[in-house]
Amino acid sequence: MDRVSSFDEPLKKLLGGATAKVMAEHLDLHTVGDLLHHYPRRYEERGKLTALADLPLDEHVTVVAQVADARILMFNNGRGKRLEVTLTDGSGRLQLVFFGHGVHKPHKELLPGRQAMFAGKVSVFNRKMQLAHPTYQLLDASDADEATEAVDAFAGRLLPIYPACKQLDSWRIAKAVDAVLPSAQDAVDPLPASLREGRGFTPLPEALLKVHRPQTKADIEDARARLKWDEAFVLQVALARRRYADTQLPAAARRPVADGLLDAFDAKLPFTLTEGQEKVSKEIFDDLATEHPMHRLLQGEVGSGKTMVALRAMLTVVDAGGQAAMLAPTEVLAQQHHRSITEMMGELAEGGMLGGSDRGTKVVLLTGSMGMAARRQALLDLVTGEAGIVIGTHALIEDKVQFHDLGLVVVDEQHRFGVEQRDALRSKGKQPPHLLVMTATPIPRTVAMTVFGDLETSVLDQLPAGRSPIASHVVPAKDKPHFLSRAWERVREEVENGHQAYVVCPRIGDDAEEAEGKGGKKAKAKKAAPEEDGDKRPPLAVLEIADELRKGALAGLSVEVLHGRMHPDDKDDVMRRFAAGDVDVLVATTVIEVGVNVPNATAMVIMDADRFGVSQLHQLRGRVGRGSAPGLCLLVSEAHEASPARARLSAVAATLDGFELSRIDLEQRREGDVLGQAQSGVRSSLRMLTVIDDEEVIAAAREEAVAVVAADPELKHLPELRTVLAALLDKDREEYLDKG
């Protein structure tokens, strides 16, 4: 078998169809190479018991513990029986429970004093942590043959605990790894020999053996150090090649022009730019003046003035004879950007119109729901060059849209845009246009180096004067229902003081949505919360909550809804009336998460807040406190006090620092999810590297990668590195590095 193909061997050849199917469907493992790169999450020492006191609620866990007590209890007048087993490890106790016919085998085997590995999902019953019907493997079998086998397998050895799933326990994965481990000898080593020797790394086959079957803790350290480097280095080489290829592309330099549109705009600004805005603008202007395309990421907290910086860049490009396009993720946001930009520019946005400035240009809006006449005019203005600036949704990317001379593309909220869409817009320029990507999600430096590694980064970290503080509190609706009543009273108080409020729900609701398929409401409920086992109610819905509030807690106030299934004209109408102060309370989905700006809105209640991610909650909260009055954000949740979900909400309530929250977010996510859903191509390549902890490894790997690519852009002298890159970043995955 040649060196590459043993890693490409399908798992079903070695493990049998049933196991291979579970691995493919639930763990995304398809080949021998995939399984060899499915590393243990941690290791247990024989005889050392896990801390039961630290078990996370609602997670699938594997523990090694000792049976303290086991008893059979009858219920239903003796018709039903259950086996309750108490485990101990010195730090805490854990209850196991088995029902019905499932009690016989564990009752014989789980005797006091026995030690075993147990796997199951942690839940709470009668205020006690428990595992219901866990799978287990005895570590001290009584049968002589079994005992010998168990001792051979476990004595004096570190037990690898693998990321597992309900259908496949950690120890079954360990057995599967044993079957493919001989193939580790065929691993293709991506590190150049000079780098490997210079840094004293363990050879790759040895690192794979040590990570799966370590004899000592030093083995684990060696293996981890080596495997982290591989991941960081291969990823950084892919990014460095992408940056190198970008520097080879031609672009028209767009240099500022004296006494042009930008100068006229700056002269009429009613405030001075912050130092941060000046600094970032200079970085962008320097990039625009070069003859290869700018690729810059502009990150800044909600309200830090990113739109102003982007607008000044667009005006510079218009001054230099080009056009600029701004892409927004939703129609609501595109319309809002169009409104705020035309308001900021005044008569400068009416070029060629009666009363417009002779230095002005046309600013047009292009969205999918526009009427034919308005759309035809907008398309004409773009192709003739009459419109210098266009703002729109992905409707901008359609084949029909032609530009006179596209010089700059600004993408707002990058993570909502697919790569193909960005490339399609980029291909509309005579030469590749300059690219400015904006995000209000603060990104730690390591993540910027990894996820956005092909973009130069600028950060706006000062808030403009006049922004108000936001108080945030968790409202435990289940434990303390009167807290929720008080939350609605607070909303009413804000409205009585002349302000407005948002109520955010995870779902839209209504029968049209819920009766998809024969299952009606229940089918949809299951669909709405795929992570649940059907034991939790579906997430709260906009239409239901709005109805309840109108009839109950907020009766008499003007309550309106906003969600993605509404007709765009209706959405815009509601948003305009809310902005004008005619609507007291807006009940919405996360359609308001990005860019909605109503300074008079001071309160936000987020229902089922535990169903949202940390950065999403931070984004939503940024919609209040935008004026002179202080903001209030209430995070309503039924999550158990000891759950990770509640810990997440408490972290959000405790700080307004987005960079701090983005660190917490990363620390709390499970391995492999660091790069987010949209990064799935890259995500599956990061098994060992944790972006948040391995800053030094990533920074060093980036330096080495840049040097390697500068010396040999095609990697002609590094065939092994080329092979690994090709396997890891097949065409689709390579595309993901364009930050879709």
Side-chain angles (χ1 to χ4, degrees), residues 222-237:
D222 276 2
R224 280 180 179 270
R226 169 64 217 257
L227 296 167
K228 277 182 182 183
W229 244 91
D230 282 19
E231 288 178 7
F233 180 70
V234 171
L235 189 53
Q236 291 301 334
V237 166

Side-chain angles (χ1 to χ4, degrees), residues 647-686:
R648 223 170 40 233
L649 295 183
S650 300
V652 174
T655 179
L656 290 170
D657 180 337
F659 284 93
E660 173 59 23
L661 283 176
S662 63
R663 284 193 75 85
I664 291 167
D665 194 14
L666 284 175
E667 282 162 5
Q668 289 190 343
R669 289 196 210 178
R670 297 177 190 182
E671 73 283 338
D673 192 33
V674 163
L675 302 185
Q677 290 303 321
Q679 291 299 93
S680 58
V682 181
R683 182 185 66 191
S684 48
S685 71
L686 291 197

